[in-house]
């Protein structure tokens, strides 16, 4: 699976997500949803595993839009969903050359997380928090 390296977060919530494997067996996966003002356009989803943490980074706006309607291109798709018990959920679909995973997170948890991120950086104001010099240094260093 594709990912990135962990970063310091200003907002983080522990989140248990559900997935169903190819045999139809439901699994719960511990994860952490994170947001940093230093990277205001992105959120991270860190999966805590016995082999180490796996971090996926994708757009905060993608998560915000996906809570209410299906959205996404490429490796990440987000959409509203309903659990088998009728609970409001958010579906997060991750794809990479290594595999494909569809996760369900409780909508109330995702919405609470997003409310905390928007209290720090309002949607549309992300660019005011970007350090262009630091970004250029990182790009040139890699």
């Amino acid at each position: 699976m594709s990912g990135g390296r962990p970063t310091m977060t200003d907002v983080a919530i522990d989140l248990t997500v559900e997935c169903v494997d190819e045999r139809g067996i439901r699994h719960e996966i511990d994860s952490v949803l994170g947001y940093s003002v230093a990277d205001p356009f992105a959120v991270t989803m860190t999966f805590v595993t016995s082999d180490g943490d796996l971090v996926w980074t994708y757009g905060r706006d993608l998560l915000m839009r996906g809570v209410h309607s299906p959205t996404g291109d490429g490796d990440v798709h987000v959409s509203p969903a309903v659990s088998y018990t009728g609970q409001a959920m958010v579906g997060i679909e991750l794809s990479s050359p290594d595999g494909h995973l569809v996760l369900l997170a409780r909508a109330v948890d995702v919405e609470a997380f997003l409310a905390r991120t928007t209290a720090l950086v309002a949607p549309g104001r992300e660019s005011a928090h970007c350090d262009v010099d630091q970004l250029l240094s990182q790009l040139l260093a890699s």
Side-chain angles (χ1 to χ4, degrees):
M1 297 237 144
S2 167
R5 79 179 103 100
T7 60
M8 295 298 294
T9 57
D10 295 305
V11 176
I13 65 163
D14 293 329
L15 193 64
T16 299
V17 294
E18 300 175 12
C19 70
V20 177
D21 68 18
E22 62 279 352
R23 297 168 299 178
I25 298 172
R26 186 172 81 69
H27 301 273
E28 291 185 342
I29 302 171
D30 293 328
S31 63
V32 178
L33 201 52
Y35 179 76
S36 173
V37 173
D39 191 1
F41 290 100
V43 295
T44 57
M45 183 169 245
T46 303
F47 300 101
V48 181
T49 73
S50 58
D51 295 330
D53 295 349
L54 175 64
V55 181
W56 275 77
T57 302
Y58 50 93
R60 178 177 74 156
D61 64 325
L62 177 72
L63 186 59
M64 293 174 98
R65 288 190 321 264
V67 168
H68 303 289
S69 62
T71 190
D73 291 318
D75 296 343
V76 181
H77 293 90
V78 182
S79 62
V82 178
S83 72
Y84 65 93
T85 62
Q87 184 175 36
M89 305 292 274
V90 176
I92 303 168
E93 183 178 354
L94 306 173
S95 298
S96 80
D98 296 328
H100 181 84
L101 184 63
V102 178
L103 305 164
L104 290 176
R106 291 178 0 142
V108 66
D109 294 336
V110 174
E111 289 169 345
F113 168 78
L114 289 170
R116 290 176 57 197
T117 72
T118 60
L120 290 175
V121 178
R125 300 286 304 146
E126 294 91 349
S127 60
H129 296 272
C130 286
D131 184 344
V132 176
D133 291 332
Q134 179 185 9
L135 179 61
L136 285 173
S137 294
Q138 290 173 340
L139 289 172
L140 295 173
S142 55

